[in-house]
Amino acid sequence: MDLTFSEEQDELRKVVRSFLTKHATEADVRRLAADPTGYDPVVWRRMATEIGLQGLAVPEKYGGSGFGYVDLGVVFEETGRALLCAPYFATVALAAETLLRCDDERARGDLLPGMASGETVATLALTEENGRWDEAGIRLTAHDKAGGWRLTGVKTYVLDGHLADLLLVAARTPSGISLFAVEAEAPGLARTPLPTLDQTRKQARVEFTNTPARLLGPEGAAWPALERTLATASVLLAAEQVGGAAAALDAAVEYARIREQYGRPIGSFQGIKHKCADMLVEIESARSAAYGGLWALDAGDETETAISAALAQAFCSEAFTKVAGDNIQVHGGIGFTWEHLAHLYLKRAKSSEVLLGTPSYHRELLAARLGI
Amino acid sequence: MELDFGPAVRDFRDELRDWLAEHLMGEFAEHRGVGGPTDGAAWEVRLAWDRELAAGNWLGVGWPREYGGRGLGLLEEIVFEYEYARANAPYRATGNALDLLGPMLLAMGSEAQKKRFLPPILSVEELWGQGFSEPGAGSDLASVRTRAERDDGGTSFEGTSRPIGVESGGEWVVNGQKVWTSFGIHADWLYVLTRTDPDSRRHKGLTMLLVPADQPGVEIRSIRNLAGQDEFAEVFLSDARTDADMVVGEVGQGWRTAMATLGIERGTTLLPQQLAFEREAEALIGLARERGALDDPMLRRRIVDAWISVRIMRTTNLRTIAELTAGRAPGPQATTAKLYASTRHQQLGHLAMELAGPAGQIVDEDYALDTRQRSFLLSLAETIYGGSSEIQRNIIGEQVLGLPKEPRP
């Protein structure tokens, strides 16, 4: 196992960062945060066609480039750093991963190429009003009727659910948890955008009324695949959180270098310097947590992945929130304004913290997986 | 995660594993896991174990053969530390000379110094004490006041016989006081940071000297640490003498020599310590299970956090090792690792004491502590030695993040 980044991965980072520096500027983030759609389809298309970001880790036979999870982690670190406003996490970390893990070769062949090429925006609809990320939280039901499966019930907190072309839906059937694909135009589908605290990442409530759906994989067998998907997504979210935290620290350090009080830069005072140092300790520790998960994913070690994924979410969630909060403190009064970027990182951090389950939930998952 | 660096290194690892399995027996096995950089427990056994290691030629795996080492590379050194810690062998009594002085001499010593001093380190015939800190200079090494002056009369060298045997035509006379010399009471030799230019300030005008401890001008008294152990010493130098060619590096360049030494200390030496922390965390989970503490949600959370901490320490270390072995400069995590590990290890110590409950208040005869009590108390030193946490934060802030320095008066 290689525990360093290769030159190619360093190069990938440069390319992605340079792309996002141009196409996910502060002005873009602010514009899209205020826009109910929340993403720029032109940039989305260029992400796919110019650097192949949507298909990066999708196997070549489904139209992707077949890179590994460490590579994908590099990309998520950069999208997190830039606060990219796009359905990237929903499509790549949730939907594509769900398909890759569910036992349905035909569905993969049908659906993955569109996601890899950037034509399809997709998401995973799992959570309901109870906000749970476990098997027991899934209540929405599916019925097998003449003419196929139909879904009835409500999903909410669905990432980019109002704009996705394709929704992968976890539902309950008489045999257990099953997975379904629902097209955006399906009858009986009602989608309502939810006003979000973190305006850079959109969520929706999705109502299904006798909505036709395509069963993916064997009926009743979806939970193990979903659990693996959530572990993978947890690691990728951790990488994104590391990137966001690193950007917040960069901003704090930059400000502490130039802002003068009492006749000298505030960064020369130990009160500020030590706070910044502690932020870096958090970030480097979070990196270790996230990278450990990426290595386990690339090594194909499921036990290790499950453990390091829960660890990564428990640790990186809190690290990002802590660092984003400290960034506001270092900035002082200006950091508390709407005009400054700092609050956007704090809100992204807080919403990421619960996006795939709270840190407490992940600590419990970790304890269970370790047999503690 | 296991470290694997290919077949040649694997052979080395297997040889070491076999040797450890065969020799870590009897009294040595009873003292598995004992010690740490500040742990004075079981000194005699640990010293005997070091001699056992020396007989197997396992000390100085990466040092050149001509000085008694094995002449192997960084990979083997890492594997050695890893396997050694994995076997839970006693913490080496001579760690100070192996991890600090030896590498310092290899990097900056004269050929004569290397030939004279390195082999007896590896054969555990001579023990060394570090004389950097002073009562008035702990983390602030640049305020060293111990003075050394040349005496070119050269008539009164009364220590052991001339250490190198080269007529150098002069001696250094050393006066001052050093403190926190780990295991100094056992030292045959000291490596001492001195001020050789009396008019100099801060880090200029310092010189690193090797000084024989067995002479009238050197008095060493042990200081008990808070765990009740005679771990470190204070050293009084009153017209102590050493030969003119006992300067490591150049006269007036002692700061550079000292910094190079401390840089070495912060490299791979964290690895065995962190494996020891992992073992502590595992033991703690076992204890918690035994006590039914896992059902207490508050304790349960702290236990999971302890496990998270040691796992993160390990991954951070593997990142650094991977970068070093790939010939890359280590990233910022190499600098943040000590601060994280020392802070988190203290939390582990508090948790262990809480789980021990009332039993944690009782010690054995002669204030003999159990593993948890020792670990809890000794962990308090980890945020002080090797650069205190406050100094670490300054280093991270200034050297890694590029924040402006504090104005100097």
Side-chain angles (χ1 to χ4, degrees):
Chain A
M1 206 180 329
D2 185 1
L3 310 185
T4 58
F5 289 105
S6 65
E7 278 174 32
E8 290 76 13
Q9 284 158 345
D10 290 344
E11 190 53 36
L12 172 68
R13 187 185 296 281
K14 266 191 219 149
V15 169
V16 176
R17 188 175 296 187
S18 135
F19 179 89
L20 294 173
T21 306
K22 273 185 235 137
H23 302 295
T25 61
E26 180 178 341
D28 294 325
V29 171
R30 288 186 181 282
R31 175 171 51 85
L32 296 170
D35 178 334
T37 315
Y39 86 112
D40 183 336
V42 175
V43 172
W44 178 255
R45 184 55 62 92
R46 294 180 70 168
M47 281 169 65
T49 52
E50 287 175 23
I51 37 180
L53 292 188
Q54 286 90 327
L56 189 77
V58 171
E60 287 173 38
K61 63 175 167 174
Y62 307 124
S65 322
F67 281 79
Y69 286 103
V70 171
D71 304 282
L72 195 55
V74 166
V75 176
F76 273 106
E77 242 185 285
E78 294 306 314
T79 59
R81 175 182 279 277
L83 282 184
L84 173 69
C85 296
Y88 188 69
F89 190 84
T91 303
V92 173
L94 290 173
E97 290 300 324
T98 303
L99 275 171
L100 284 169
R101 276 164 182 74
C102 94
D103 184 14
D104 196 331
E105 184 55 32
R106 179 189 283 247
R108 273 197 285 275
D110 289 349
L111 302 174
L112 276 171
M115 294 182 193
S117 70
E119 276 155 44
T120 311
V121 169
T123 191
L124 173 67
L126 194 146
T127 43
E128 303 182 8
E129 299 290 1
N130 58 44
R132 294 171 67 157
W133 282 94
D134 58 2
E135 191 176 359
I138 300 168
R139 300 264 187 254
L140 181 135
T141 53
H143 299 281
D144 194 3
K145 294 189 178 160
W149 288 90
R150 303 274 172 153
L151 303 181
T152 297
V154 177
K155 292 284 178 186
T156 188
Y157 316 119
V158 179
L159 220 51
D160 303 308
H162 59 300
L163 56 95
D165 306 301
L166 173 72
L167 296 105
L168 305 182
V169 186
R172 206 167 269 283
T173 70
S175 337
I177 305 298
S178 308
L179 194 65
F180 296 89
V182 175
E183 304 283 339
E185 293 79 22
L189 183 69
R191 308 191 287 176
T192 319
L194 299 168
T196 45
L197 178 75
D198 169 18
Q199 296 173 299
T200 66
R201 185 132 66 189
K202 309 298 184 186
Q203 299 183 11
R205 177 186 154 92
V206 184
E207 208 164 330
F208 302 85
T209 314
N210 210 23
T211 308
R214 169 181 178 180
L215 176 68
L216 303 176
E219 190 202 332
W223 181 249
L226 282 168
E227 203 173 21
R228 286 201 292 276
T229 301
L230 291 176
T232 306
S234 292
V235 173
L236 296 173
L237 180 60
E240 198 198 89
Q241 288 165 324
V242 165
L249 174 59
D250 285 353
V253 166
E254 181 56 27
Y255 188 72
R257 262 202 290 249
I258 54 167
R259 168 73 172 163
E260 292 197 2
Q261 293 273 268
Y262 307 103
R264 55 180 167 118
I266 59 169
S268 69
F269 291 99
Q270 289 196 346
I272 298 293
K273 185 178 295 173
H274 287 192
K275 190 183 275 295
C276 291
D278 284 334
M279 290 161 82
L280 186 67
V281 175
E282 281 299 300
I283 290 170
E284 287 303 325
S285 306
R287 269 186 218 286
S288 293
Y291 295 172
L294 295 171
W295 295 327
L297 277 167
D298 274 341
D301 184 334
E302 284 197 9
T303 311
E304 184 56 38
T305 299
I307 289 171
S308 49
L311 183 153
Q313 266 312 289
F315 192 87
C316 298
S317 289
E318 289 177 354
F320 185 13
T321 302
K322 172 85 171 67
V323 170
D326 283 348
N327 180 36
I328 290 178
Q329 299 305 311
V330 170
H331 276 86
I334 188 77
F336 189 65
T337 64
W338 189 270
E339 281 69 32
H340 200 276
L341 265 181
H343 75 104
L344 295 178
Y345 282 94
L346 179 77
K347 291 168 184 172
R348 174 65 80 87
K350 205 63 196 171
S351 83
S352 302
E353 205 178 292
V354 297
L355 183 61
L356 297 176
T358 65
S360 300
Y361 170 67
H362 283 282
R363 279 194 184 85
E364 267 312 311
L365 274 185
L366 177 60
R369 287 167 185 175
L370 290 172
I372 290 177
Chain B
M1 267 170 280
E2 279 266 353
L3 294 168
D4 189 0
F5 299 112
V9 178
R10 219 172 294 147
D11 287 346
F12 170 81
R13 181 197 66 189
D14 293 343
E15 185 193 344
L16 173 59
R17 272 190 191 171
D18 290 347
W19 189 90
L20 285 168
E22 216 169 289
H23 290 79
L24 196 53
M25 305 285 279
E27 197 177 12
F28 299 142
E30 283 169 35
H31 287 87
R32 269 174 200 261
V34 76
T38 64
D39 191 345
W43 174 262
E44 293 301 329
V45 177
R46 287 165 59 198
L47 196 60
W49 169 245
D50 278 19
R51 297 208 164 103
E52 186 83 7
L53 283 167
N57 195 24
W58 288 109
L59 298 181
V61 162
W63 296 14
R65 284 167 180 275
E66 51 188 312
Y67 309 125
R70 284 207 180 204
L72 299 173
L74 177 64
L75 291 181
E76 285 86 354
E77 284 188 68
I78 290 165
V79 168
F80 176 81
E81 294 297 354
Y82 186 79
E83 290 297 324
Y84 189 87
R86 199 175 152 273
N88 204 12
Y91 193 90
R92 293 187 289 282
T94 48
N96 175 23
L98 287 167
D99 298 337
L100 293 175
L101 174 70
M104 175 176 103
L105 287 179
L106 282 168
M108 314 193 79
S110 69
E111 189 52 35
Q113 288 169 347
K114 292 183 204 175
K115 281 203 180 109
R116 164 63 185 81
F117 292 115
L118 293 176
I121 291 174
L122 296 187
S123 59
V124 200
E125 285 165 71
E126 277 176 358
L127 302 184
W128 284 82
Q130 187 211 60
F132 283 11
S133 296
E134 297 186 1
S139 288
D140 183 15
L141 271 189
S143 67
V144 154
R145 292 168 66 180
T146 293
R147 282 173 298 110
E149 288 163 289
R150 277 297 290 263
D151 174 6
D152 290 336
T155 51
S156 54
F157 189 81
E158 289 177 6
T160 50
S161 58
R162 294 193 76 78
I164 289 185
V166 181
E167 187 54 58
S168 58
E171 291 174 7
W172 291 98
V173 182
V174 190
N175 280 286
Q177 187 188 345
K178 294 290 175 179
V179 74
W180 317 130
T181 307
S182 293
F183 312 118
I185 198 81
H186 309 285
D188 301 301
W189 280 82
L190 304 161
Y191 51 112
V192 183
L193 190 59
T194 63
R195 190 166 295 282
T196 43
D197 175 357
D199 299 325
S200 65
R201 296 198 57 212
R202 306 293 306 159
H203 54 275
K204 297 191 179 74
L206 298 171
T207 300
M208 185 74 72
L209 290 176
L210 308 177
V211 180
D214 180 20
Q215 58 167 310
V218 175
E219 190 195 343
I220 304 178
R221 291 186 207 146
S222 77
I223 306 172
R224 272 183 139 191
N225 70 18
L226 83 182
Q229 304 165 332
D230 290 327
E231 168 228 334
F232 34 55
E234 50 187 345
V235 178
F236 299 88
L237 301 152
S238 319
D239 289 336
R241 291 186 166 258
T242 196
D243 197 88
D245 46 17
M246 290 294 105
V247 174
V248 185
E250 284 168 46
V251 173
Q253 296 293 317
W255 182 253
R256 247 177 66 192
T257 311
M259 287 304 107
T261 309
L262 296 175
I264 294 159
E265 185 182 27
R266 293 189 189 111
T268 57
T269 50
L270 277 173
L271 180 65
Q273 195 188 25
Q274 289 170 7
L275 286 173
F277 293 171
E278 272 184 43
R279 198 169 275 118
E280 276 179 40
E282 294 292 344
L284 200 130
I285 291 168
L287 178 71
R289 185 172 289 122
E290 218 172 90
R291 299 277 151 92
L294 293 174
D295 302 330
D296 176 334
M298 300 298 277
L299 276 175
R300 189 175 165 79
R301 176 183 171 138
R302 286 170 64 192
I303 290 162
V304 172
D305 279 342
W307 195 89
I308 289 175
S309 302
V310 295
R311 171 55 81 90
I312 284 178
M313 286 179 211
R314 177 208 281 225
T315 313
T316 301
N317 221 273
L318 290 175
R319 285 169 63 200
T320 303
I321 289 172
E323 286 163 350
L324 286 170
T325 53
R328 288 178 160 213
Q333 84 284 353
T335 314
T336 60
K338 194 225 173 204
L339 191 51
Y340 182 80
S342 55
T343 311
R344 294 291 180 135
H345 188 223
Q346 282 171 7
Q347 292 170 6
L348 197 65
H350 286 292
L351 181 56
M353 290 299 283
E354 177 155 347
L355 287 172
Q361 304 166 79
I362 308 303
V363 299
D364 230 324
E365 296 293 321
D366 300 325
Y367 210 74
L369 308 176
D370 67 22
T371 319
R372 282 189 294 275
Q373 292 164 332
R374 237 179 26 234
S375 175
F376 161 65
L377 289 173
L378 296 178
S379 73
L380 270 297
E382 286 159 23
T383 43
I384 302 172
Y385 67 64
S388 68
S389 287
E390 289 68 26
I391 295 286
Q392 298 293 338
R393 290 189 180 96
N394 279 353
I395 291 171
I396 294 167
E398 291 169 13
Q399 295 175 19
V400 182
L401 296 175
L403 288 169
K405 287 190 178 324
E406 200 141 6
R408 307 261 186 229

